[in-house]
Amino acid sequence: MNTKDNKKNAISPSREENYSEWYQQVLKAADLAEHAPVRGCMVIKPWGYAIWENMQKILDTTFKKLGHQNAYFPLFIPLKFLEKEAEHVEGFAKECAIVTHHRLEKGKDGKLIPAGPLEEPLVVRPTSETIIGEMFSKWITSYRDLPLKINQWANVVRWEMRTRLFLRTTEFLWQEGHTAHATKEEAQEETLRMLRVYERFAWDILAIPVVVGEKTPQERFPGAVSTFTVEAMMQDRKALQGGTSHFLGQNFARSSEIKFRDAAGEEQFAWTTSWGSTTRMIGSLVMTHSDDDGLVLPPRIAPLHLVIIPVVHKEESRVMVLEYCHKLAADLREISYHKQEISVLVDERDMRGGDKSWSWIKKGVPLRMEIGPRDIEQNRLGLAFRTKGHKDLIMLKREELLLQIGDLLDAVQTHLLEKALSFRRNHTHKIDNKEAFYAFFTPKNKENPEIHGGFALCHWSGDPEIEEKVKADLGVTIRCIPLDEQEEEGVCVMTGKKSKRRVIYAKSY
Amino acid sequence: MNTKDNKKNAISPSREENYSEWYQQVLKAADLAEHAPVRGCMVIKPWGYAIWENMQKILDTTFKKLGHQNAYFPLFIPLKFLEKEAEHVEGFAKECAIVTHHRLEKGKDGKLIPAGPLEEPLVVRPTSETIIGEMFSKWITSYRDLPLKINQWANVVRWEMRTRLFLRTTEFLWQEGHTAHATKEEAQEETLRMLRVYERFAWDILAIPVVVGEKTPQERFPGAVSTFTVEAMMQDRKALQGGTSHFLGQNFARSSEIKFRDAAGEEQFAWTTSWGSTTRMIGSLVMTHSDDDGLVLPPRIAPLHLVIIPVVHKEESRVMVLEYCHKLAADLREISYHKQEISVLVDERDMRGGDKSWSWIKKGVPLRMEIGPRDIEQNRLGLAFRTKGHKDLIMLKREELLLQIGDLLDAVQTHLLEKALSFRRNHTHKIDNKEAFYAFFTPKNKENPEIHGGFALCHWSGDPEIEEKVKADLGVTIRCIPLDEQEEEGVCVMTGKKSKRRVIYAKSY
């Protein structure tokens, strides 16, 4: 392997050559996850899981500040609960793992077979509205019990036929918030508040400039009155849905009988919401920032901010160099960066310095530093950035590094956000006629058929038939009706019917 | 409800009257958990989950300091993996949830039925040795890859026929550590190191004076070479097993083919360990410290250290009192207690002060304080302790409280540990003849048949037949062979055969 300057990259194929294979290779090179020997499931390896733990920590702190409490509900959902909400069960029936037996027995050929059939099959939770609704119906009796704001960190299972690490797997990890309120307005506010939490988290922490919007009725969560989403653009210009937030109206309250007496003593159904974000965000992070040398991590989510590589050519300088490195690491750890300590590793592995550097480049660590006796003597430390050429060093005195480390990390963070934002802007176009629309979504390069136009901002009159046609013709869907765009008179790009606003059409994961 | 001084308690029945019903009522009064409408499963409510989060945080920090990394493995285990280790599958076959289908379909009567049968049934993980072993076999090729030290926080399922909240449920939450080493000695060291982590955690954080020891071959983890345990004594004098740590020898390495090349280039099987602790610890915590007024929490695990109840009799003093309380809470939160901030809540609920106090007593919060205009004026704050009479106040100036809060909490912590330790000592007896042994485990009081002698320290010659007889006759098992007791010549209490050391016999959960 070699440096960027020599035009040879660590990841093959490149993004241009084969985007989806590039993604797999980045995951592999960074050691984030791999396919499990269980159909459609993944093993999240330590580096991937450390990113997930950071996501959890930051989101969890925000949820708690907003008054949500964590709890835990059963993995198994009796079929009769799932059936209560007709649209809901319809939406999940095709992709459920079903538990039907509760022990194993030796069959005639001596092989183990399922035994102890259950009277009622249990569904491994694809989401928990129905079981949590059942509990809410017991816990809520009066308006004094409201709002009830619960969050759960858990694994869920959806039997996906085609799976991709982090993006679509049979089992994945997530958080699901579930709240109940006395009024419609309050539940709607909560829905949007949590949507904005996902938006801020994506922009500020993941450096992913998501668009927030509402899903069309076609794309709603099964059983919801309205579904909101944050949508990001990947480097192949496809959309990836991040956190979603659902206003459930009184649908689940009716099916689960979540009722309360209001201040006047009248019995009413509660208004509920649910909102979730998943390990999919790791896939989004990978595809937003990584390059042809591997993973690139924004500092605010990186498990490690800086790797120090001691350079020892002569045995007699070993102790001195190592001591210096460890002391520097200890001093850096005393510095607080966005309420966390700066995370530093001194890489003492028995391995060539160049190989060490490359291993951390591929893992996306924002900053690297090789330190040898001369650097120490001259108090000139060379800081390398994951986001610059691998041999472009910034020279700093020790005391400057300690003083500036937070700003340097923030500069990387800002750079990544701006880069992603400008990428999204460059590939987002207002399109007002059908031919241009079809051309936009038709790949130019047969060698790399995944690369197409990006996000098309088009007028849409609200016809679900248009969504179906566009999906059938181009594999394109309406990702969302953006919340923060101005209303604007126009005509539907497909039908010419009057329309009040533009929506985002895109191919998506 | 009334105060202790009036001899009326919040929990009915009392421990003396009906211990197991008392346990249920404590859980209910503290709002820790409840039975789910799914057979054998529980819902962990926010107060119970907050205790679990504290347990996780403290254990996780320790694991990471010792070099373990978190990762995540699939929920489902293909039957063929489980079958690889004969003893292991034997041990879990009778209590497995089995997934056999992957979707739901409308049957003839319009009802949903399982469809899409799987070619190979999947077992919902009862533990993850086999699936993690499979991954380890891919990740490990050289001695340079060792030791490999992984931990997972996850849910597991064991189909228990008789369930009790926290103590025995079909699904529970836990952590499971899995490590692989190049030598037997290193794996054995790791097994004992992690056992000692559980021991220190129980003593120092949970204030539970556990005994550490080895399990007899009968009681070993299925597939282990040796199993170690921490055993606590509950207030009904029964034993409750806490964390366990297993030396797996090369058993799982052989069945999963975890092999490595040593420094000399020879291929060898690795030596593995596993160790786990579960939400059961919450049950242990409840039964060790709680009293007839409800839960009692040791400060180092309590989600809340101090509740401040503002007392406002006249509307004109409301703002002043609330401001004072919130300022005091903010100042207390600045204080660090065992690397956490002091956790304080100002209880502003619209409820009588007495009811507020009782709600926190039942939830086990270590300290309470009612603050009204006179207390503020005189700078005399009355601090109530969960572990003292509910009206016994310690009077402190504001500045004294801020100065002493850490010491006051530590005093509570120490008091609880000492109380539990003296309870255990009072109910642990050396017994050297059979009649005394049978009498010790025969309840004296027919009204309360659960109360018996406690822990019997007896000689045992090593015969498994004795274990079986004692279990059949008395429902008593050998809990462990204590590690920290001196060897001592003697004779087996049942057979008169020669023995080198005493073991702990007890009834258990």
Side-chain angles (χ1 to χ4, degrees):
Chain A
M1 253 159 315
N2 223 312
T3 68
K4 233 178 185 169
D5 319 306
N6 295 345
K7 313 252 188 265
K8 190 129 180 277
N9 293 113
I11 304 297
S12 171
S14 69
R15 285 163 291 182
E16 280 301 313
E17 287 161 359
N18 183 336
Y19 190 82
S20 55
E21 181 58 23
W22 164 83
Y23 174 68
Q24 299 296 331
Q25 292 303 324
V26 171
L27 297 186
K28 194 174 168 184
D31 211 16
L32 290 174
E34 60 191 60
H35 291 284
V38 185
R39 211 204 130 284
C41 291
M42 66 178 158
V43 172
I44 307 180
K45 299 188 78 174
W47 191 247
Y49 200 81
I51 295 171
W52 178 239
E53 286 182 303
N54 281 350
M55 290 179 171
Q56 288 187 300
K57 212 182 303 173
I58 295 167
L59 284 173
D60 197 67
T61 304
T62 309
F63 299 157
K64 283 181 177 150
K65 270 193 195 143
L66 293 173
H68 305 90
Q69 295 183 297
N70 286 337
Y72 189 77
F73 299 84
L75 171 68
F76 300 133
I77 300 180
L79 193 44
K80 65 170 180 286
F81 290 165
L82 207 64
E83 283 176 314
K84 283 183 185 173
E85 220 291 334
E87 278 187 29
H88 189 70
V89 68
E90 180 81 12
F92 289 105
K94 293 190 192 72
E95 48 178 38
C96 281
I98 323 278
V99 175
T100 56
H101 293 75
H102 68 78
R103 59 190 163 83
L104 293 164
E105 229 171 56
K106 283 228 167 89
K108 282 175 195 159
D109 58 356
K111 288 231 159 215
L112 286 172
I113 51 169
L118 300 182
E119 277 181 31
E120 190 192 14
L122 296 173
V123 176
V124 181
R125 65 180 161 220
T127 179
S128 304
E129 277 73 10
T130 57
I131 185 82
I132 292 181
E134 177 74 15
M135 300 315 295
F136 275 20
S137 75
K138 294 178 185 178
W139 298 347
I140 295 169
T141 56
S142 146
Y143 69 95
R144 290 172 200 267
D145 302 322
L146 297 174
L148 181 59
K149 307 205 292 184
I150 296 288
N151 178 60
Q152 166 170 271
W153 291 96
N155 53 343
V156 284
V157 170
R158 297 176 188 179
W159 205 270
E160 301 282 358
M161 280 310 165
R162 292 171 54 197
T163 60
R164 284 179 101 168
L165 290 174
F166 290 123
L167 302 177
R168 196 175 290 279
T169 49
T170 296
E171 182 191 15
F172 57 88
L173 304 183
W174 80 345
Q175 66 59 222
E176 48 180 323
H178 296 268
T179 68
H181 306 263
T183 67
K184 181 179 178 180
E185 292 67 36
E186 209 186 293
Q188 284 174 324
E189 266 172 39
E190 169 80 3
T191 308
L192 290 178
R193 183 182 305 120
M194 300 320 290
L195 178 71
R196 296 297 182 180
V197 165
Y198 294 140
E199 181 191 24
R200 290 314 336 150
F201 180 71
W203 281 75
D204 297 347
I205 307 298
L206 307 182
I208 302 178
V210 292
V211 179
V212 298
E214 186 172 351
K215 287 286 183 190
T216 68
Q218 295 258 7
E219 302 275 332
R220 261 179 215 147
F221 176 75
V225 171
S226 45
T227 285
F228 297 87
T229 177
V230 304
E231 297 278 333
M233 184 189 283
M234 303 297 97
Q235 291 181 72
D236 60 354
R237 310 179 196 174
K238 278 192 194 161
L240 186 82
Q241 179 180 300
T244 52
S245 186
H246 316 294
F247 170 61
L248 305 174
Q250 294 179 311
N251 292 352
F252 285 87
R254 279 177 207 280
S255 61
S256 298
E257 307 218 333
I258 309 173
K259 289 187 275 196
F260 69 98
R261 288 203 178 279
D262 65 18
E266 297 287 319
E267 195 164 68
Q268 296 202 28
F269 285 111
W271 300 83
T272 69
T273 81
S274 69
W275 29 275
S277 60
T278 79
T279 37
R280 203 173 203 223
M281 289 189 293
I282 300 174
S284 184
L285 191 69
V286 171
M287 288 207 292
T288 300
H289 303 298
S290 301
D291 62 22
D292 295 335
D293 285 329
L295 186 62
V296 175
L297 287 170
R300 287 186 209 156
I301 202 70
L304 201 52
H305 296 119
L306 167 66
V307 171
I308 297 175
I309 300 174
V311 180
V312 186
H313 294 300
K314 291 178 189 160
E315 202 48 40
E316 61 262 34
S317 59
R318 173 177 301 276
V319 173
M320 186 272 287
V321 171
L322 286 180
E323 262 181 18
Y324 182 93
C325 292
H326 281 291
K327 178 73 176 66
L328 178 61
D331 287 350
L332 284 162
R333 287 187 195 112
E334 293 291 313
I335 297 169
S336 147
Y337 177 68
H338 289 270
K339 293 181 193 159
Q340 308 263 343
E341 65 178 33
I342 299 272
S343 172
V344 191
L345 180 97
V346 179
D347 184 354
E348 292 190 55
R349 286 178 296 173
D350 179 18
M351 194 190 273
R352 278 190 37 231
D355 291 347
K356 283 188 192 179
S357 276
W358 272 105
S359 77
W360 297 115
I361 290 168
K362 290 186 285 180
K363 279 180 174 291
V365 174
L367 306 175
R368 302 181 316 280
M369 194 166 245
E370 297 192 4
I371 299 180
R374 281 223 358 201
D375 309 306
I376 297 171
E377 199 184 306
Q378 299 179 357
N379 193 15
R380 271 171 61 85
L381 307 177
L383 188 67
F385 288 70
R386 177 61 184 85
T387 43
K388 299 183 192 241
H390 303 320
K391 291 193 166 168
D392 295 348
L393 301 183
I394 287 192
M395 304 309 297
L396 291 166
K397 295 193 168 81
R398 187 187 196 281
E399 50 277 23
E400 288 170 335
L401 176 69
L402 290 171
L403 214 60
Q404 295 172 25
I405 181 94
D407 291 342
L408 291 166
L409 289 169
D410 269 347
V412 171
Q413 182 83 24
T414 307
H415 166 75
L416 288 173
L417 177 64
E418 281 171 359
K419 197 171 150 209
L421 184 57
S422 107
F423 184 87
R424 192 192 85 194
R425 285 191 177 137
N426 289 342
H427 299 290
T428 299
H429 295 280
K430 288 190 180 180
I431 296 180
D432 288 318
N433 78 73
K434 198 168 161 179
E435 290 67 39
F437 184 82
Y438 273 74
F440 187 75
F441 287 114
T442 305
K444 307 278 173 296
N445 179 355
K446 281 181 193 158
E447 306 266 305
N448 200 356
E450 294 175 48
I451 306 295
H452 61 285
F455 285 5
L457 276 169
C458 305
H459 275 280
W460 174 62
S461 59
D463 288 338
E465 295 78 20
I466 299 307
E467 292 180 88
E468 277 158 34
K469 183 168 169 48
V470 165
K471 194 171 183 175
D473 287 358
L474 297 165
V476 164
T477 50
I478 297 178
R479 300 317 302 156
C480 70
I481 307 161
L483 288 187
D484 301 326
E485 297 279 324
Q486 297 267 308
E487 291 211 357
E488 170 195 309
E489 295 288 331
V491 295
C492 170
V493 69
M494 297 286 288
T495 60
K497 281 192 200 169
K498 276 197 175 170
S499 151
K500 290 217 176 254
R501 62 191 319 166
R502 290 178 187 272
V503 300
I504 296 177
Y505 281 97
K507 297 191 183 186
S508 73
Y509 282 93
Chain B
M1 257 160 310
N2 222 311
T3 68
K4 234 179 187 172
D5 318 306
N6 295 345
K7 313 252 190 262
K8 190 131 179 276
N9 294 112
I11 303 297
S12 171
S14 68
R15 285 164 289 184
E16 280 300 314
E17 286 161 0
N18 184 337
Y19 190 82
S20 55
E21 180 59 23
W22 164 82
Y23 174 68
Q24 299 295 332
Q25 292 303 322
V26 171
L27 297 185
K28 193 174 169 186
D31 212 16
L32 289 174
E34 60 191 61
H35 291 284
V38 186
R39 210 203 131 286
C41 292
M42 65 177 160
V43 173
I44 307 179
K45 299 188 76 175
W47 191 247
Y49 201 81
I51 294 171
W52 179 238
E53 287 182 303
N54 281 350
M55 290 178 171
Q56 287 187 299
K57 211 182 303 171
I58 295 167
L59 283 173
D60 197 67
T61 305
T62 308
F63 298 157
K64 283 179 177 151
K65 271 193 194 144
L66 293 172
H68 305 90
Q69 295 183 297
N70 286 336
Y72 189 77
F73 299 85
L75 172 67
F76 300 133
I77 300 180
L79 194 45
K80 64 171 179 286
F81 289 165
L82 208 65
E83 283 176 315
K84 282 183 186 173
E85 219 292 335
E87 277 186 30
H88 189 69
V89 68
E90 180 80 13
F92 289 106
K94 293 190 193 73
E95 48 178 38
C96 281
I98 323 277
V99 175
T100 56
H101 293 75
H102 67 79
R103 59 189 162 83
L104 292 164
E105 229 172 54
K106 283 228 168 88
K108 282 176 192 158
D109 58 357
K111 289 234 157 212
L112 286 172
I113 51 168
L118 300 182
E119 276 182 32
E120 189 192 16
L122 296 172
V123 176
V124 181
R125 65 179 160 221
T127 180
S128 303
E129 277 74 10
T130 56
I131 185 81
I132 293 181
E134 176 73 16
M135 300 315 296
F136 275 20
S137 76
K138 295 180 184 176
W139 299 346
I140 295 168
T141 54
S142 146
Y143 70 96
R144 291 173 201 266
D145 302 321
L146 297 174
L148 181 58
K149 307 203 295 183
I150 296 287
N151 178 60
Q152 167 170 268
W153 291 97
N155 53 344
V156 284
V157 170
R158 297 177 186 177
W159 206 271
E160 301 282 357
M161 280 309 164
R162 292 171 54 198
T163 60
R164 285 178 101 168
L165 290 173
F166 291 121
L167 302 178
R168 196 175 290 279
T169 49
T170 296
E171 182 192 15
F172 57 89
L173 304 182
W174 79 346
Q175 65 59 222
E176 48 180 324
H178 296 268
T179 68
H181 306 263
T183 66
K184 180 179 177 181
E185 292 66 35
E186 209 185 292
Q188 284 175 324
E189 265 172 39
E190 169 80 2
T191 308
L192 289 179
R193 183 182 305 117
M194 300 321 289
L195 179 71
R196 296 298 182 178
V197 165
Y198 294 139
E199 181 192 23
R200 291 313 338 148
F201 180 71
W203 281 75
D204 297 348
I205 306 298
L206 307 182
I208 301 178
V210 292
V211 178
V212 297
E214 186 173 351
K215 288 284 185 191
T216 67
Q218 294 259 6
E219 303 275 331
R220 260 179 215 148
F221 176 76
V225 172
S226 46
T227 285
F228 297 87
T229 177
V230 304
E231 298 278 332
M233 183 189 285
M234 302 295 99
Q235 290 181 74
D236 60 354
R237 309 178 197 175
K238 278 191 193 161
L240 187 82
Q241 179 181 301
T244 51
S245 186
H246 316 294
F247 170 60
L248 305 174
Q250 295 180 311
N251 293 350
F252 285 87
R254 279 176 207 279
S255 59
S256 298
E257 305 217 336
I258 309 173
K259 289 186 275 195
F260 68 98
R261 287 204 180 277
D262 64 20
E266 296 288 320
E267 195 164 70
Q268 295 202 27
F269 285 110
W271 299 83
T272 69
T273 81
S274 69
W275 29 276
S277 60
T278 78
T279 37
R280 203 174 203 222
M281 289 189 294
I282 301 174
S284 184
L285 191 69
V286 171
M287 288 207 291
T288 300
H289 303 299
S290 301
D291 61 22
D292 296 335
D293 285 328
L295 187 61
V296 175
L297 288 170
R300 287 185 209 156
I301 201 70
L304 201 53
H305 297 118
L306 168 67
V307 171
I308 297 174
I309 301 173
V311 180
V312 186
H313 294 301
K314 292 177 187 159
E315 204 46 42
E316 61 262 34
S317 59
R318 174 177 302 276
V319 173
M320 186 272 286
V321 171
L322 286 181
E323 264 181 16
Y324 181 93
C325 291
H326 282 291
K327 178 72 175 67
L328 178 60
D331 287 350
L332 283 163
R333 287 187 196 112
E334 293 290 314
I335 298 168
S336 145
Y337 177 67
H338 290 270
K339 293 180 194 161
Q340 308 263 341
E341 65 178 31
I342 300 272
S343 172
V344 190
L345 179 97
V346 179
D347 184 356
E348 290 191 57
R349 286 178 296 174
D350 178 17
M351 194 192 272
R352 280 188 37 228
D355 291 347
K356 283 187 191 177
S357 276
W358 272 104
S359 76
W360 297 115
I361 290 169
K362 290 186 286 181
K363 279 180 173 292
V365 174
L367 305 176
R368 301 182 316 280
M369 195 167 246
E370 297 192 2
I371 299 181
R374 282 224 354 201
D375 308 307
I376 297 171
E377 197 183 308
Q378 299 180 358
N379 193 13
R380 270 173 60 85
L381 307 177
L383 188 66
F385 288 70
R386 177 62 183 85
T387 43
K388 298 183 192 238
H390 302 321
K391 291 193 164 168
D392 294 349
L393 302 182
I394 287 191
M395 304 310 297
L396 291 165
K397 296 193 168 81
R398 187 186 195 280
E399 50 278 23
E400 288 170 337
L401 176 69
L402 291 172
L403 213 60
Q404 295 172 25
I405 181 91
D407 291 341
L408 291 167
L409 289 169
D410 269 347
V412 171
Q413 182 83 23
T414 307
H415 165 74
L416 287 173
L417 177 64
E418 281 173 359
K419 198 171 149 208
L421 183 56
S422 106
F423 184 87
R424 192 191 86 193
R425 286 190 176 137
N426 289 340
H427 299 290
T428 300
H429 296 280
K430 289 191 179 178
I431 295 180
D432 289 319
N433 79 73
K434 197 169 164 181
E435 291 65 41
F437 184 83
Y438 274 75
F440 187 74
F441 286 114
T442 305
K444 306 278 174 297
N445 180 354
K446 281 179 192 159
E447 306 266 304
N448 200 355
E450 294 176 49
I451 307 294
H452 61 284
F455 285 5
L457 276 170
C458 305
H459 276 280
W460 174 62
S461 59
D463 288 338
E465 294 77 19
I466 299 306
E467 291 179 270
E468 276 158 34
K469 181 167 171 47
V470 165
K471 193 171 185 177
D473 287 357
L474 297 165
V476 164
T477 50
I478 296 177
R479 299 318 301 156
C480 70
I481 307 160
L483 288 187
D484 301 326
E485 298 279 323
Q486 297 268 307
E487 291 209 358
E488 172 196 307
E489 296 288 332
V491 295
C492 169
V493 68
M494 297 287 287
T495 61
K497 282 191 201 170
K498 275 197 177 172
S499 150
K500 290 215 177 253
R501 62 191 319 167
R502 291 176 185 272
V503 300
I504 295 178
Y505 281 98
K507 297 191 183 188
S508 74
Y509 282 92

